[in-house]
Amino acid sequence: MSLDLFNYNRRETNVIHVGVLDMGGNNLIRIQSMTTTSTDDTKGSVAQAERIIKAGGELVRLTTQGKREAENLKNIKAELLADGYSTPLVADVHFVADVADTAAQYAEGVRINPGNYVDPARRFIKKEYTDEEYTQELQKIEDRFIPFLNICRKNHTAIRIGVNNGSLSDRIRNRYGDTPEGIVESCMEFLRICKKQHFNDVVISIKASNTVVMVHSVRLLVAEMEKEHMKYPLHLGVTEAGDGEDGRIKSAVGIGALLADGIGDTVRVSLSEEPEAEIPVARHLVNYITMRTGHVLIPATQAKKFNWINPKRRETKAVENIGGDQVPVVIGKSTKADYWYTGSTIPEHPVPQQKYIIDYNKFGELQGEGKLTELEKDGTRFYPIFPVNAMPFMAMVQSPLKFLVLQFGTPAAEYLTCLKYHPEAVVICMSHHKNRLGDQRALVHEMWSAGLKNPVIFSQMYSHSQTEKEDFQIESAADMGALMMDGLTDGIWLLDGGDLSDEDIVSTAFDILQAGRLRTSKTEYISCPGCGRTLYDLQGTISKIKKATKDMKGLKIGIMGCIVNGPGEMHDADYGYVGAGFNRISLYRKQVCVEKNIPEEDAVDHLLALIRKDKEKRS
């Protein structure tokens, strides 16, 4: 890979055309969303599309279950043009390849899903394919896909090859497993045909509700395309991200991790809310990342043991409960944090079992007065933090855990020697650089190359008002995304100079760790944004389920509009709630359906009863 880990540059891609819109190359990163209306409903679809466009959406996707919906795109497009909107429409097709052929005549773009374009719908069956049988299946795909490409070429229609982790075909799953390698191969099978046929108006997406799977799969895809000399643009999104703060943080972690490495030419933030609510979130995320363009060069070298495509957690020596194999910690100014930073202030009534961080000079003063032993009762502990200019004093202060604040550019000979002689020191990695990801990566890679195993906590500093809380959450999640995916994170310390509450800041840190699959601190909800296939009140149901299960820490619940990605995206969820028809729901335990076609009004109660029953069995 020719990726520069430390300096921000957009990945080089082909320019493609989607109606009046150019994508890829040096074009702006495009923002899009998807309607939740039935595509048979012309008025409703037009109204929702216009709300998306007015919010700043540059493409609008609509579900097309059948030929009737595909043909009605013509009417929707005509009404939008009459209202003065030329925004490209993209048809979303699953299961029926003939529908894609029809949609390509009316929409500027068509999304097909390799998992169900020619391969039959998933049944999660096990079957061993011989190489000959597998080759025959690939030939079936090519025979069916080429006529579709010819229709698209004739109508100047772009295509999106959209792979979802939740809808891999049984054929792919049986050969590659439910892995990034399987996800990427599912995509590459179709890309090879496009390249062979010289069809260039192609954009690719690889999505998953698991941010780690999503990021690692896209990284692998980029590497595989480079090997085969492909430069197709990429669409980014975390599918089934959820709603509210969780949905925004989860999306920013996954999408931000890739955008920060220059990957991505169009973005959708999939929220279980009204589609127009997705646009400002995506726009802020894109603007925040791309503003680092043209930053001052970071002269760093990648550690030899680091693997960007398949990263493992950096090996560190545990210091107290930080580093090693332990979950990352959170530092903040709150009892909710693992470590409470109090500066030079000692609380009059220390909280039992709480761990505190205090400035090194205050710590030394108390230690000299013999007061620290007194403050360590009831499990309460105090640990010193040293600024970089106080490194010489570290040996003078006795503590089983010390914190040292560092940033890239600190003379390596000095700090590397200090850390070598102080394995009890945990590094607080901070940055004031325009590209803080590259700067913070650079420090850790410098330590790694020197063979140091001190844990690293990333400190991210901002300044937001209470009304900008959403911006703070998006930015901090985006900044931490790649650092978590790289396996470099032993902890987070978020700081904000505005008027955000300490509790909100600390809660955001825990939510970021959960979104990065590094630490679970509350119930996780995997919920889709809904589309024309959703035939029940998705948003109301999500709210009801969250209210009833919010205290079930460690539980994962999938809430899905339909079966397209439902059972597949819920593969690591404990329970699933999936739309099965008009006002009908099916319930899942893991990927096994345990109740079918429950009336919507009874389904949430059935889900709660199922959870309670399983809990009673375990106890």
Side-chain angles (χ1 to χ4, degrees):
M1 274 295 297
S2 58
L3 174 79
D4 187 338
L5 287 174
F6 311 106
N7 296 286
Y8 175 76
N9 292 288
R10 290 271 303 276
R11 168 179 166 261
E12 184 182 347
T13 63
N14 303 329
V15 176
I16 73 163
H17 311 287
V18 189
V20 297
L21 195 71
D22 288 346
M23 183 187 298
N26 294 321
N27 289 290
L28 295 174
I29 296 172
R30 305 302 187 180
I31 306 299
Q32 59 179 280
S33 185
M34 183 175 183
T35 61
T36 60
T37 53
S38 166
T39 311
D40 275 338
D41 177 5
T42 303
K43 296 289 185 185
S45 296
V46 168
Q48 197 170 72
E50 291 185 1
R51 291 199 297 273
I52 292 170
I53 296 165
K54 288 174 183 176
E58 296 169 278
L59 292 97
V60 177
R61 186 155 50 109
L62 302 96
T63 186
T64 49
Q65 302 99 307
K67 284 192 175 182
R68 184 174 59 188
E69 288 85 357
E71 289 168 351
N72 199 48
L73 290 169
K74 181 179 180 181
N75 298 321
I76 294 170
K77 183 177 175 181
E79 290 210 16
L80 286 170
L81 287 171
D83 290 345
Y85 298 105
S86 58
T87 304
L89 302 183
V90 179
D92 191 69
V93 179
H94 295 274
F95 301 118
V96 186
D98 289 351
V99 173
D101 295 348
T102 302
Q105 301 172 52
Y106 304 113
E108 287 84 355
V110 177
R111 179 271 175 104
I112 61 165
N113 186 339
N116 54 41
Y117 180 73
V118 171
D119 284 320
R122 302 170 315 286
R123 290 182 291 164
F124 302 101
I125 59 173
K126 291 186 177 182
K127 177 184 176 180
E128 292 293 329
Y129 286 85
T130 65
D131 289 345
E132 183 181 359
E133 288 173 332
Y134 202 87
T135 301
Q136 289 173 354
E137 294 300 314
L138 292 180
Q139 188 60 51
K140 287 181 185 177
I141 290 173
E142 185 167 348
D143 291 345
R144 182 63 189 84
F145 190 47
I146 289 175
F148 169 65
L149 292 182
N150 290 335
I151 294 171
C152 290
R153 199 191 312 270
K154 178 182 177 182
N155 290 276
H156 305 288
T157 305
I159 67 169
R160 167 144 75 95
I161 298 172
V163 183
N164 276 27
N165 180 40
S167 56
L168 292 180
S169 68
D170 286 336
R171 176 178 60 84
I172 287 286
R173 289 166 64 93
N174 276 290
R175 174 152 289 202
Y176 294 92
D178 192 8
T179 63
E181 288 75 15
I183 294 169
V184 168
E185 184 58 26
S186 181
C187 180
M188 291 297 292
E189 290 175 353
F190 282 72
L191 286 182
R192 292 183 187 113
I193 299 170
C194 290
K195 184 179 179 182
K196 183 178 174 182
Q197 294 297 313
H198 304 289
F199 187 92
N200 298 318
D201 283 334
V202 181
V203 62
I204 315 149
S205 67
I206 285 182
K207 296 188 179 183
S209 61
N210 182 322
T211 54
V212 176
V213 171
M214 175 259 195
V215 171
H216 289 183
S217 298
V218 174
R219 287 181 176 184
L220 178 60
L221 174 66
V222 169
E224 291 300 313
M225 283 199 294
E226 187 169 285
K227 287 179 186 176
E228 300 192 29
H229 308 291
M230 298 176 180
K231 296 185 182 298
Y232 299 108
L234 280 160
H235 167 74
L236 304 181
V238 177
T239 192
E240 280 83 45
D243 64 351
E245 296 179 358
D246 292 342
R248 285 157 174 78
I249 290 171
K250 192 173 184 181
S251 294
V253 164
I255 298 171
L258 294 164
L259 286 177
D261 278 334
I263 296 168
D265 302 279
T266 174
V267 166
R268 181 196 176 191
V269 172
S270 299
L271 301 175
S272 301
E273 301 175 20
E274 293 303 311
E276 61 268 26
E278 299 176 349
I279 302 301
V281 181
R283 176 54 62 198
H284 186 81
L285 178 58
V286 167
N287 288 347
Y288 179 69
I289 296 294
T290 55
M291 68 185 292
R292 59 195 66 178
T293 301
H295 65 75
V296 175
L297 183 72
I298 300 170
T301 303
Q302 180 177 320
K304 291 181 179 179
K305 290 185 178 180
F306 178 67
N307 184 337
W308 179 77
I309 297 171
N310 187 26
K312 306 297 181 185
R313 186 173 181 180
R314 171 178 164 259
E315 184 182 352
T316 60
K317 180 183 177 183
V319 184
E320 300 280 287
N321 67 327
I322 304 174
D325 295 326
Q326 301 169 108
V327 297
V329 299
V330 170
I331 297 175
K333 298 179 180 180
S334 166
T335 54
K336 292 181 179 179
D338 299 302
Y339 289 82
W340 186 351
Y341 174 68
T342 61
S344 294
T345 304
I346 300 296
E348 289 186 22
H349 305 288
V351 178
Q353 305 301 319
Q354 180 68 50
K355 293 179 172 65
Y356 291 88
I357 300 175
I358 57 176
D359 292 338
Y360 80 100
N361 48 7
K362 185 66 175 179
F363 185 94
E365 175 189 321
L366 291 169
Q367 196 171 56
E369 296 173 0
K371 292 182 179 179
L372 279 180
T373 303
E374 184 179 321
L375 290 170
E376 289 174 5
K377 64 183 180 181
D378 299 325
T380 304
R381 299 295 301 271
F382 288 80
Y383 302 100
I385 185 168
F386 296 80
V388 65
N389 59 5
M391 278 193 292
F393 298 104
M394 287 186 68
M396 301 178 188
V397 176
Q398 300 302 309
S399 177
L401 164 62
K402 301 169 186 175
F403 296 91
L404 176 63
V405 180
L406 289 174
Q407 58 183 350
F408 184 65
T410 300
E414 295 180 25
Y415 89 80
L416 293 175
T417 300
C418 176
L419 291 177
K420 180 180 178 181
Y421 286 100
H422 290 284
E424 78 281 9
V426 171
V427 171
I428 304 293
C429 177
M430 61 177 291
S431 174
H432 297 291
H433 199 279
K434 188 176 180 180
N435 179 14
R436 70 172 77 195
L437 166 63
D439 201 46
Q440 290 181 314
R441 266 177 170 164
L443 179 73
V444 182
H445 279 259
E446 190 170 65
M447 291 173 56
W448 200 346
S449 296
L452 295 177
K453 295 185 179 181
N454 304 71
V456 175
I457 291 172
F458 293 105
S459 175
Q460 311 290 8
M461 294 166 284
Y462 308 90
S463 182
H464 293 89
S465 67
Q466 189 63 44
T467 57
E468 297 171 326
K469 179 181 172 183
E470 179 178 298
D471 293 347
F472 163 73
Q473 292 172 328
I474 293 169
E475 292 168 17
S476 56
D479 285 327
M480 285 305 307
L483 296 170
M484 293 191 294
M485 300 302 156
D486 286 357
L488 307 180
T489 305
D490 298 302
I492 301 180
W493 186 358
L494 302 182
L495 299 123
D496 195 278
D499 61 4
L500 291 176
S501 73
D502 294 328
E503 286 71 24
D504 281 343
I505 293 170
V506 168
S507 292
T508 298
F510 279 110
D511 290 347
I512 288 171
L513 289 175
Q514 180 148 330
R517 298 292 176 119
L518 295 183
R519 182 172 178 175
T520 300
S521 54
K522 63 182 185 181
T523 311
E524 181 173 344
Y525 302 95
I526 304 167
S527 61
C528 76
C531 67
R533 295 180 178 86
T534 304
L535 302 176
Y536 71 94
D537 178 11
L538 179 64
Q539 292 182 30
T541 299
I542 292 170
S543 178
K544 189 174 179 181
I545 291 175
K546 289 178 81 168
K547 184 177 180 180
T549 60
K550 63 181 180 180
D551 296 324
M552 297 179 182
K553 180 181 174 180
L555 198 65
K556 290 190 181 77
I557 301 175
I559 310 166
M560 304 295 181
C562 70
I563 62 166
V564 170
N565 297 317
E569 288 294 355
M570 300 184 312
H571 71 278
D572 65 346
D574 300 290
Y575 300 96
Y577 183 106
V578 181
F582 183 70
N583 291 337
R584 293 282 164 172
I585 307 298
S586 292
L587 298 182
Y588 288 72
R589 183 189 289 113
K590 300 292 185 182
Q591 284 186 311
V592 179
C593 185
V594 293
E595 281 192 76
K596 293 183 178 180
N597 296 319
I598 308 164
E600 179 187 355
E601 58 269 23
D602 302 325
V604 173
D605 290 337
H606 281 237
L607 172 65
L608 297 175
L610 176 63
I611 295 171
R612 284 194 297 268
K613 182 180 177 182
D614 286 353
K615 185 179 180 181
E616 289 170 2
K617 284 182 180 179
R618 289 192 297 269
S619 60

